[in-house]
Amino acid sequence: MKISSDHPVKIAIIGAGNVGATFAYALLGSGLASQIVLIDNNKERAEGEAMDLNHAVPLTHSTRIWAGDYSDCAGAAITVITAGTAQRPGETRLDLSQRNFAILKSVIEQIVKYNPEGLLLIASNPLDVLCYAAMKLSGLPASRVIGSGTILDTARFRYLLSQHAGVDPRSVHAFIIGEHGDSEVPVWSSANIAGMALADYCQMNCEEYNSEIYDKIFEQTRDAAYQIIERKGATFYGIGMGLVRICEAILRGQHTVLSVSTLIHDYYDIDDVYLSLPCIIDREGVSKFLRLPLNEKEKDGLQKSAKVLKETIHSLGL
Ligand code: NAD
């Protein structure tokens, strides 16, 4: 459905596990939605989360929250998919592809039945592969099938760089692109603070400055999920907030640049695959991806990332 200010904004969340429930909580706090429906094949889990969330309503924003079924997707401005199994310690995101593809198939069929013109925002892994599958299965235009992509990886990267540089993470401008996963790529060539190239800024302002530190910052970014899963079993706060940020950009038509997963065509010989690049997001979804100029190393990295994703997509028969 087209988003207009006359209608109450309904957000449907498929999967009320760690990510779905955390997103619902952050969404409630944002005041962006007037209706939040939680749908999970574990109905009791969805009911429990809805009950718990409702007890926060008197303290935040007037919002109707309930555990529903797929017919409740009708009229949702955005349907957010978080259903699926999560990584166990040691598992990669791509290891989840067969299991979560089967779940996605059943979920998309139901969503599209009740909300054929909706907008899908996907968080389940393997993210980019499932986004491509969702676009094919739903028949929706690619602009309306969006993956949270590297919004989380980019946030992790900015946070770690900010710790090194001693500035607010919001003043660090740097992107992680490609797969939301092991083959992701840091774009060092355009990373900046206050318009100063990161290298120049750090040479003048950081106590230590060498390539080993930067390699370590990227490794910590890429491997953050493994580190967190080893310690607490799952990651959900960063992605919960990332999903709210994407919803805000859509619902308010902000034309914000965020690194999300979208269908790429004709970019450094990469075609017909979902991966993350900085994208402009407005009321219709992804209005375009930005053709970042990359250096040779970044370009090679992105092409490798696209290859890994294409192989997984083909292994699913898509
Ligand atoms: P979880 O196990 O806590 O929750 C998953 C929920 O999905 C469960 O409640 C389960 O009952 C439900 N579910 C399973 N099959 C379903 C179906 N057919 N229909 C409806 N609901 C169904 O897992 P989680 O930690 O919330 O992770 C969910 C997904 O998000 C995983 O794939 C995980 O890898 C991914 N994830 C993505 C990011 C990101 O940055 N995109 C970050 C963290 C986790």
Side-chain angles (χ1 to χ4, degrees):
M1 90 160 207
K2 296 263 185 250
I3 299 162
S4 102
S5 51
D6 313 333
H7 288 94
V9 174
K10 186 204 276 185
I11 306 282
I13 304 175
I14 317 298
N18 287 316
V19 174
T22 307
F23 164 57
Y25 181 65
L27 182 66
L28 170 63
S30 75
L32 283 167
S34 48
Q35 299 181 1
I36 301 174
V37 56
L38 296 162
I39 300 163
D40 198 302
N41 62 351
N42 179 347
K43 184 88 190 197
E44 278 205 344
R45 174 75 194 253
E47 281 171 1
E49 295 294 357
M51 288 162 74
D52 200 2
L53 285 159
N54 271 317
H55 302 160
V57 170
L59 307 168
T60 50
H61 297 276
S62 171
T63 310
R64 183 177 165 234
I65 304 174
W66 74 105
D69 54 38
Y70 284 97
S71 62
D72 291 305
C73 290
I78 306 172
T79 302
V80 182
I81 301 179
T82 74
T85 45
Q87 288 164 271
R88 300 185 196 113
E91 261 187 332
T92 71
R93 295 174 179 89
L94 293 177
D95 288 337
L96 303 172
S97 52
Q98 294 289 350
R99 264 181 280 158
N100 283 353
F101 177 53
I103 292 174
L104 182 85
K105 256 186 179 169
S106 62
V107 161
I108 293 283
E109 205 174 286
Q110 291 295 315
I111 297 169
V112 171
K113 182 171 163 193
Y114 294 103
N115 193 349
E117 291 174 6
L119 202 153
L120 301 177
L121 173 55
I122 298 170
S124 309
N125 280 315
L127 194 282
D128 308 280
V129 173
L130 294 188
C131 288
Y132 186 89
M135 176 198 66
K136 290 284 178 194
L137 295 167
S138 67
L140 286 166
S143 57
R144 299 182 75 76
V145 179
I146 308 172
S148 58
T150 57
I151 193 165
L152 175 58
D153 317 64
T154 291
R156 287 172 173 155
F157 192 43
R158 290 171 67 201
Y159 166 72
L160 289 167
L161 287 171
S162 80
Q163 295 298 294
H164 174 63
V167 292
D168 185 335
R170 292 169 301 180
S171 302
V172 177
H173 307 287
F175 285 100
I176 298 287
I177 59 172
E179 179 196 359
H180 166 59
D182 297 343
S183 70
E184 65 190 30
V185 179
V187 189
W188 292 110
S189 61
S190 57
N192 73 84
I193 293 174
M196 285 171 81
L198 187 74
D200 293 339
Y201 179 91
C202 288
Q203 222 160 11
M204 284 182 232
N205 299 291
C206 302
E207 272 174 30
E208 274 192 290
Y209 164 73
N210 60 53
S211 63
E212 272 161 40
I213 291 177
Y214 291 112
D215 289 347
K216 199 156 168 233
I217 286 177
F218 172 58
E219 277 163 29
Q220 285 176 345
T221 302
R222 184 194 56 205
D223 300 340
Y226 295 111
Q227 298 291 328
I228 298 168
I229 289 167
E230 227 173 79
R231 287 164 172 79
K232 59 173 266 195
T235 76
F236 37 86
Y237 295 124
I239 184 60
M241 210 53 90
L243 291 168
V244 172
R245 185 66 193 90
I246 299 167
C247 288
E248 182 191 20
I250 296 168
L251 296 169
R252 296 195 171 147
Q254 288 176 329
H255 298 263
T256 309
V257 176
L258 296 171
S259 57
V260 294
S261 188
T262 193
L263 186 68
I264 304 299
H265 52 87
D266 193 22
Y267 176 67
Y268 288 124
D269 297 328
I270 299 170
D271 256 309
D272 196 35
V273 67
Y274 260 75
L275 52 75
S276 286
L277 280 172
C279 293
I280 299 180
I281 305 201
D282 65 16
R283 281 178 190 269
E284 296 301 315
V286 170
S287 76
K288 68 165 157 180
F289 67 85
L290 299 183
R291 293 170 183 273
L292 276 187
L294 302 177
N295 66 25
E296 275 301 306
K297 190 174 175 200
E298 292 160 353
K299 187 194 81 180
D300 286 354
L302 192 68
Q303 287 173 335
K304 282 195 189 113
S305 195
K307 189 165 173 277
V308 168
L309 291 169
K310 274 212 161 181
E311 282 167 5
T312 315
I313 286 169
H314 291 153
S315 75
L316 295 173
L318 289 163

